Each structure stands twice: as structure tokens, then as C-alpha cells.
Amino acid sequence: MTHPAEADIERHAVVLEYADSDAGGDDNEAIGREQELAAFRVDAVAGLSKPQKSIPSKYLYDTAGARLFEQITEQPEYYPTKTEIALLRAHAGEIAELIGPGATIVEPGSGAGEKVEILLNAMREPRAMVPLDIAREQLRRVARTLAARHPHLQIVPLWADFTHAFDIPEKVARLHPRLVFFPGSTMGNFLPDVQRQLLGALAKLAGEDGSLLIGFDRIKDESVLLPAYDDAAGVTRAFEMNILERLQREAGAKLDPHHFRYEARWNAKDACVEMHLVARQETQIGIDEHRFGFAAGESIWNESSHKYDDGRIADLAASAGLVVSKLWTDDKNWFSLALLRPAP
């Protein structure tokens, strides 16, 4: 049975006001915040009820989580961001030519906006930029930054959970052709079945005359992979542990964060790095009337980061009715950018 709040938030998307840093939004935005909190509670209870306890990884990205993730990208061990940015800088002109003039960029999980800047600066007469994110204040900051740097470009910040289906507001629907820009190998953070569903939803967001530019982290030795997800400064650990603080603050959970430690694991069979919060001792998490017991060594599986080769990328694209139009890969074969379009 679907919780009513969960069903509502799947369809809810709000174009935010962003010119005023203190903008409070309208009634729809307030309703959206209530739905987001309700959905978080529902999803947390559902995930912690599973044999392998888990919480959807999208909930890592509240305001604090988004800030921590930006710090992760600056750590020396974390290669994906640096490698992808270098690829974008090297090939932005070619990408812009393939996309053509007058396009609108839609960026789900827009983050700090650094990567999309490279594309915007290379594109010919871009029509609009639609940053799309679930982290509301982060989204406003990105919108204000983009508006300041591109005063003649239409900026349409869309507050929505892109992991669920939602009705596209008319203000966005009338902007086309659309390029859906999904960098950072974010696609790899989802389980394979969800990846296929998500890619199909992103293809729908791009439209029949649109395209998708997606970042894919490639399979490589775990001596490179594991330090990237467990940096010496402990920023990734703080990012992953933040979900426990969010459970306390927003879901009213009763727990002791000190009873958990962070651990990154390489799963060679599924070609993914898994991020776990492991119980140091017997403990429990309480949410309302629910009690979830942990034995020592039992974990909350926070997220996975799947890795790819050319075949995996092509197979995923085909599952959503797409083809790989162009693939760019760095000299070390660590990261790829794939331009995907509807299959003819």
C-alpha cells in the first residue's frame, strides 16, 4: 500500500523563486516540504524493515549533505569530479556542436553548478537552464549563481525529487529541445532495476527531440576505488553519517550515532562500491512506534556506486530505448561521458 504523502510527492514539482535569498516560497512549496518530510519517514521505516537495512541514498543530500559532498569532490583521493571536469573542458565544443543552438539544459541533482558552467560557456545561444534538485536551499544558491553569471539566460530552478515520476510544469515543458545533463556518475548510485527506470524517466524529461549527457565511472582496480570513497580526511565518513543526524532531526528517531561506524566495500561481482554504516555493538533505532534492532556488525546499506565498461553503458541505454551517440573517455580509462539519444 502506498502512503498518501509518498504518492503526492512523486508528482510534486515546484519552480522556486530565488532572487531573494530569504524567499519563503508559496503555499505549494510549504506543502512540498511537508510531503518531503513525510516521505522521508515512510521510506526510512520501509528501508530499516528490510533484512538488509537501508535508507534511499537520495536522503543523504539535505543541505548539510550537499555541502559535505562538495567537500568530498575536493579530496585528493576523489578522482571522478576532477576527471569528468577535464573531459568536459576537452570536449565541450564538440558536445555543443552535436547539441546545436537554442537548447535548454536540464540538470537533475544540480549540485554546485561548476560542470554545467563549462557546457553553458561552450553552447551556442542556449535558451534556458533548469537546475533540478531536492535540496531546496542548495538549489536556490545554484540558481542565483547561474543568474549572476548569465544575466541574459533564463534560469528556472525546479524543486523536485527526480527519482520519482512528476508532472513537468508548463514553464519547463515549453522549453525545448532539452539536454538532460546528469554528470558525476550519479546514475551508478542506484540499483540496476532503478537505473533502468530512472534512465527511462530522464529520457522522457529530455523529450523526443532531446538528448542526454551522462557521466559514467568506469571499472578499475579497488586500490583506486576504495580510497575515493573513504578519504583520509574523513569527509565521506561525515557525509554518510549525516543520515543518522537527519533521522534524529527530521524523523524524530531515537538512536546513538556513536554506535555506528562507516565502511566502504568493493563488490566485484556487481562492479560497485558499497557504503555501509556498521553497528559497533548491539543497538537499536526507534521511529515512532517502530523499533529496529541491530546486532554488532549489522549494517545500514546507505548507497552503492556502480562502475561501467562500454558494454554496460550500451546495455543500460538500450533498456530505455536509447543509443550511445558518442562516448568520450579519458586517457586512463577511468571515466566516460556518454551522449544518448532515442533509438531510430
Side-chain angles (χ1 to χ4, degrees):
M1 180 178 179
T2 302
H3 190 282
E6 188 179 27
D8 288 344
I9 198 170
E10 288 179 6
R11 297 192 301 270
H12 203 69
V14 177
V15 175
L16 291 184
E17 295 296 329
Y18 65 90
D20 183 352
S21 62
D22 295 323
D26 58 15
D27 291 341
N28 284 334
E29 186 179 338
I31 293 169
R33 284 195 294 270
E34 293 175 3
Q35 292 172 332
E36 182 184 354
L37 290 173
F40 178 39
R41 188 186 301 265
V42 169
D43 287 347
V45 169
L48 293 173
S49 299
K50 296 177 181 178
Q52 169 58 73
K53 297 177 175 65
S54 65
I55 298 173
S57 61
K58 65 186 178 184
Y59 292 117
L60 292 164
Y61 295 90
D62 62 348
T63 301
R67 183 170 56 250
L68 284 165
F69 183 75
E70 291 306 317
Q71 294 177 27
I72 288 171
T73 66
E74 298 168 358
Q75 301 310 303
E77 301 95 332
Y78 194 78
Y79 64 85
T81 300
K82 303 175 185 69
T83 309
E84 186 176 35
I85 286 175
L87 272 174
L88 282 168
R89 286 175 175 160
H91 300 288
E94 183 182 0
I95 293 168
E97 285 299 314
L98 290 169
I99 298 304
T104 290
I105 297 180
V106 182
E107 186 182 8
S110 52
E114 178 182 5
K115 295 172 188 175
V116 78
E117 278 283 324
I118 299 170
L119 281 182
L120 286 171
N121 290 332
M123 290 179 67
R124 288 183 293 151
E125 302 175 354
R127 182 178 180 187
M129 170 64 200
V130 181
L132 190 166
D133 211 310
I134 197 171
R136 194 170 51 255
E137 295 310 316
Q138 170 81 353
L139 180 60
R140 281 204 178 99
R141 283 195 296 272
V142 169
R144 287 195 293 271
T145 298
L146 287 167
R149 292 177 179 171
H150 303 272
H152 302 297
L153 183 67
Q154 186 179 359
I155 309 298
V156 187
L158 188 60
W159 179 46
D161 179 357
F162 65 83
T163 66
H164 287 298
F166 60 84
D167 295 331
I168 302 173
E170 174 59 27
K171 192 171 183 179
V172 175
R174 64 173 178 252
L175 298 169
H176 61 87
R178 294 187 292 271
L179 169 68
V180 173
F181 180 46
F182 201 47
S185 199
T186 304
M187 183 64 71
N189 291 345
F190 301 92
L191 295 175
D193 285 348
V194 181
Q195 290 181 39
R196 289 187 284 270
Q197 295 170 12
L198 176 58
L199 186 56
L202 295 181
K204 183 178 179 180
L205 180 59
E208 294 181 358
D209 62 346
S211 51
L212 303 91
L213 184 64
I214 300 182
F216 291 99
D217 195 9
R218 299 183 68 89
I219 298 170
K220 59 188 70 66
D221 193 87
E222 63 183 284
S223 64
V224 176
L225 287 168
L226 287 181
Y229 294 89
D230 193 5
D231 56 274
V235 182
T236 306
R237 181 168 59 253
F239 171 71
E240 300 289 341
M241 292 289 289
N242 179 61
I243 196 71
L244 298 179
E245 296 180 16
R246 190 174 183 189
L247 279 173
Q248 289 178 305
R249 183 175 63 252
E250 297 181 19
K254 306 298 182 184
L255 63 93
D256 188 338
H258 297 98
H259 289 178
F260 294 86
R261 61 179 176 82
Y262 169 63
E263 181 179 309
R265 306 170 182 172
W266 170 239
N267 180 336
K269 177 178 177 293
D270 295 331
C272 66
V273 178
E274 298 177 356
M275 282 70 88
H276 291 257
L277 299 180
V278 183
R280 300 176 183 272
Q281 61 190 72
E282 284 191 15
T283 189
Q284 70 173 12
I285 293 177
I287 301 177
D288 298 331
E289 71 277 13
H290 305 281
R291 296 293 180 271
F292 306 101
F294 290 77
E298 192 176 359
S299 73
I300 301 172
W301 186 2
N302 264 10
E303 59 177 334
S304 294
S305 181
H306 290 80
K307 309 306 173 186
Y308 302 83
D309 54 23
D310 289 358
R312 286 173 181 257
I313 295 172
D315 288 346
L316 178 60
S319 73
L322 302 168
V323 294
V324 179
S325 175
K326 184 78 176 182
L327 190 72
W328 298 271
T329 303
D330 66 288
D331 293 340
K332 292 182 178 179
N333 203 36
W334 278 8
F335 203 94
S336 289
L337 284 168
L339 184 66
L340 309 181
R341 285 185 164 142

